[in-house]
Amino acid sequence: MSVVVTGLAGIGLTRALTGLGRRLPEAARAPWARRNHAGVPVTLLEGPVVVLAAAATATTGARDAGTALVVLAPGLLGGLDDLVGDGTTKGLHGHLGALRRGRVTTGALKILGLGATAVLAAHLETRGSTRQGVGQSVAGTAVDAVVVAGTANLVNLLDLRPGRALKVTTTAGALLSVPRSARPLGVTLFGVGLGALPEDLAGETMLGDCGANALGALVGLALVRGLGPRGRLATAGVVTGLTLLSERVSFTRVIESTPVLRELDAWGRSR
């Protein structure tokens, strides 16, 4: 599909699925009902909506196993965590610590599953690529896997305020629409993001782990396809650093204490 058609397809499909979600019976909507940071009722059905819309838009007319994998697998893992996860265990340290004590949380399953998904996706990219140097080596596959898994996790960490995570993935999509190799994924992210933003900004819906992990992994795959070896290595370093930092520092506190970030974060949101 052309760039314009792909973008419009992403917007249209997301809007259509959002409307369908509103018409679901209450019994089907109830498991996805939550309260956000302000105690306002929201639905996490936005997650399945963006997963389905992104998977359908990005793979239409193309046999792209890597794209389907990085959208659907993180979406399923995140959805499991959304529906039956233990909300008292937080962060990599918490979930991996529970695993060391013999308690398997859905968060730990998600961490391991995201890692395996990222490695397989990176392997598929390497196998189907003609890139030279680090991109074709075992080290290159590891770097690409870090980018995909790490970005999936980071976007999930941002899904704490209306519109925040979607602003990041939609902006990333716009930027990643420039490199030809990443353009289909970038345009998909942009279109699906625009389609989901109205209800998210209004505080009516949230991506949840399902949507945030899927869109984050798709951003990661687009970065892998759009950047050269040095760019991917630098991105892996940044992603790893931010992930480790998140275990000690609240991103929300940093955003709210930085005027420019605070205004960008609040843009379009009911104040």
Side-chain angles (χ1 to χ4, degrees):
M1 291 192 292
S2 71
V3 170
V4 174
V5 172
T6 300
L8 291 176
I11 295 171
L13 187 53
T14 304
R15 297 307 303 160
L17 289 172
T18 298
L20 180 62
R22 291 198 190 99
R23 294 192 290 272
L24 287 175
E26 184 58 32
R29 293 176 56 85
W32 301 94
R34 297 292 186 278
R35 290 187 178 273
N36 67 10
H37 71 286
V40 177
V42 297
T43 178
L44 300 184
L45 279 171
E46 181 185 330
V49 164
V50 300
V51 167
L52 292 175
T57 303
T59 59
T60 297
R63 294 181 178 179
D64 191 346
T67 297
L69 177 68
V70 300
V71 175
L72 296 176
L76 288 171
L77 291 165
L80 176 66
D81 205 20
D82 283 335
L83 292 174
V84 299
D86 175 12
T88 62
T89 305
K90 302 288 186 180
L92 292 174
H93 179 76
H95 290 295
L96 295 180
L99 191 60
R100 284 195 298 270
R101 295 190 295 272
R103 184 166 67 91
V104 180
T105 66
T106 54
L109 290 176
K110 187 180 70 173
I111 291 168
L112 297 174
L114 281 176
T117 298
V119 169
L120 181 54
H123 172 68
L124 291 173
E125 291 298 303
T126 300
R127 189 179 65 178
S129 174
T130 58
R131 296 177 302 198
Q132 299 298 316
V134 68
Q136 291 186 317
S137 66
V138 173
T141 299
V143 167
D144 291 352
V146 169
V147 172
V148 173
T151 308
N153 180 60
L154 284 177
V155 171
N156 190 33
L157 293 176
L158 293 173
D159 190 36
L160 296 175
R161 295 293 186 273
R164 181 182 293 173
L166 271 181
K167 286 177 185 176
V168 171
T169 60
T170 306
T171 301
L175 296 174
L176 288 164
S177 298
V178 177
R180 183 181 297 272
S181 54
R183 189 168 297 158
L185 304 189
V187 175
T188 294
L189 285 161
F190 185 72
V192 171
L194 286 183
L197 260 175
E199 288 79 11
D200 197 305
L201 278 172
E204 298 171 3
T205 66
M206 285 182 65
L207 286 169
D209 287 14
C210 175
N213 285 147
L215 292 186
L218 191 59
V219 170
L221 184 62
L223 287 167
V224 166
R225 291 183 180 178
L227 297 175
R230 291 182 180 177
R232 299 197 302 278
L233 183 60
T235 301
V238 170
V239 165
T240 300
L242 289 174
T243 299
L244 295 175
L245 185 64
S246 71
E247 294 292 308
R248 297 181 176 275
V249 176
S250 165
F251 288 169
T252 293
R253 190 173 302 166
V254 172
I255 291 169
E256 292 179 348
S257 64
T258 308
V260 173
L261 294 178
R262 184 172 64 243
E263 289 304 310
L264 289 173
D265 186 49
W267 177 80
R269 187 188 301 159
S270 177
R271 305 212 181 195

